[in-house]
Amino acid sequence: MSNLSKKELRNTIANCLSDQMEPNTLDENTISETLGERIANAGVSRRSFMRYCMGLSAIMAIPTSLMPKLVEAALLSPVTSVVYLSFQECTGCLESLINVFPSTKYKTDSIENILLTALSLDYSETLMAPSGDKAEKSRADAIAKKNYILVVDGSIPDDKAGAGFFIQSGKTGLQLLKAAATNAAVVVSVGTCASFGGLPAAKGPTGISPTGAISIKAALKSFGGTYATKKVINVSGCPPIAEVIAGTLIYWILNKKAPALDSNLRPKMFYGETVHDECYRKEFFEDGLFVNSFDDAGARKGYCLFNMGCKGPITHNACTTLKWNQGTGFPMEAGHGCLGCSEPGFWDKEAIAGQGVGFYKPLDINTVDD
């Protein structure tokens, strides 16, 4: 933090937070570099900002004499740049993210507040206003910087087998990913498609994926060099829970490092337990009380859905703890078994002993570690 005099600090505040700002046109807007500039662009007045800092200093028991330092830190702290790329995906992951709600435990907030105060979304084909050449310039400008978070959803088609499945501005998915990953501090693969290949990588009855799709981690590994060792965080799910995506991003922004990851590169704070571990129907599983048909007496009594193909015992996710739709519920609470969407090979698992084949085929109960 620089040592500004009180006069210099007042001038900085005045410049950043003018009471009478002239609105810029869309084409004239520049990427916000600091929180102060971001607040100014949102139309917050100098007076409102100072009231906020005074309240914040009171809550944090900061002496009045140190409030100028708090103001300076808030104004001059840079926001974290995020570049968001979409490949073979359905937009469900981004749709999930924009419905994030505040969570004290995982330090998430509404999407508008996250975009206002925590990160700068410098490129996102789905959400950005520019198109065509202006959009291409936005991406080029964003990835020319250093240490941004590269968020990717969707799997990558093979250049040889599936180049025709993804071409953007004359470049293949692999070429676009490589360019965007060069200066990234971390790559966050959002969704099962980006994390493990997902639906585009499903082989089906032919045993061959039409696009030769691979995960983001596999694509980076194929580039070799520093790309192969680039830090990757998988946030799997079809789609992932909104607060899981946002919580992972916020963790990196606050700590400048990844949280503890499991063997599939997923944050243990969200994927450390199975869905079965915290399911309220688990007591029925332990008592041997199961639903055998979606309309039977057991279903009406809320018995365990294991016999209906529930993959909860082998699925690692936060569905039964964090829950979906702003904490409203999860699939088993609605009467349907877990499909295992956050696990590798979700769409067409091979006949691996104990893992079942198909959404409604039960697991081998002897393989469930209770």
Side-chain angles (χ1 to χ4, degrees), residues 111-359:
I111 189 63
E112 56 268 27
N113 283 341
I114 290 175
L115 292 175
L116 176 65
T117 63
L119 57 85
S120 175
L121 187 58
D122 292 340
Y123 181 80
S124 170
E125 294 155 355
T126 306
L127 298 180
M128 66 193 299
S131 60
D133 291 340
K134 291 184 179 180
E136 295 299 310
K137 184 179 186 302
S138 294
R139 185 178 69 248
D141 291 343
I143 65 177
K145 299 177 181 180
K146 303 283 186 182
N147 298 324
Y148 50 85
I149 299 175
L150 175 60
V151 179
V152 185
D153 70 13
S155 58
I156 302 290
D158 180 80
D159 274 359
K160 295 180 180 178
F165 289 92
F166 196 96
I167 294 291
Q168 179 179 308
S169 64
K171 297 178 181 178
T172 67
L174 284 171
Q175 291 170 333
L176 291 167
L177 175 65
K178 186 174 184 179
T182 302
N183 292 327
V186 63
V187 179
V188 180
S189 302
V190 173
T192 296
C193 292
S195 298
F196 308 125
L199 177 60
K203 296 177 176 60
T206 65
I208 301 174
S209 166
T211 69
I214 56 177
S215 69
I216 301 306
K217 176 64 176 178
L220 292 172
K221 187 176 180 179
S222 72
F223 300 148
T226 58
Y227 296 99
T229 57
K230 182 78 68 174
K231 175 60 70 175
V232 174
I233 304 173
N234 287 335
V235 183
S236 61
C238 194
I241 300 171
E243 292 68 47
V244 173
I245 306 173
T248 301
L249 296 175
I250 296 300
Y251 187 96
W252 178 274
I253 290 170
L254 292 178
N255 299 282
K256 296 298 182 283
K257 65 178 183 178
L261 305 178
D262 67 9
S263 59
N264 285 310
L265 304 181
R266 300 173 298 192
K268 288 183 179 180
M269 60 185 185
F270 297 116
Y271 299 90
E273 297 180 341
T274 67
V275 171
H276 177 73
D277 289 334
E278 298 298 328
C279 181
Y280 74 96
R281 295 178 185 252
K282 185 179 179 181
E283 60 184 270
F284 294 115
F285 175 88
E286 295 169 345
D287 293 337
L289 300 173
F290 300 104
V291 175
N292 294 303
S293 173
F294 282 121
D295 60 353
D296 67 7
R300 296 185 180 90
K301 294 177 181 179
Y303 287 173
C304 179
L305 293 158
F306 184 86
N307 288 346
M308 301 307 295
C310 181
K311 302 300 188 295
I314 62 167
T315 301
H316 297 79
N317 211 335
C319 300
T320 49
T321 52
L322 192 52
K323 299 187 177 182
W324 284 85
N325 299 321
Q326 301 189 357
T328 302
F330 53 91
M332 290 77 82
E333 197 168 3
H336 195 286
C338 168
L339 298 179
C341 74
S342 60
E343 296 300 310
F346 160 51
W347 285 98
D348 56 0
K349 277 187 177 295
E350 298 177 2
I352 302 174
Q355 293 198 4
V357 178
F359 294 147

Side-chain angles (χ1 to χ4, degrees), residues 1 6 9 53 57 61-73:
M1 183 184 301
K6 290 185 178 180
L9 182 59
C53 288
S57 64
I62 296 175
T64 304
S65 60
L66 293 181
M67 199 185 78
K69 289 293 184 183
L70 174 65
V71 174
E72 182 185 347

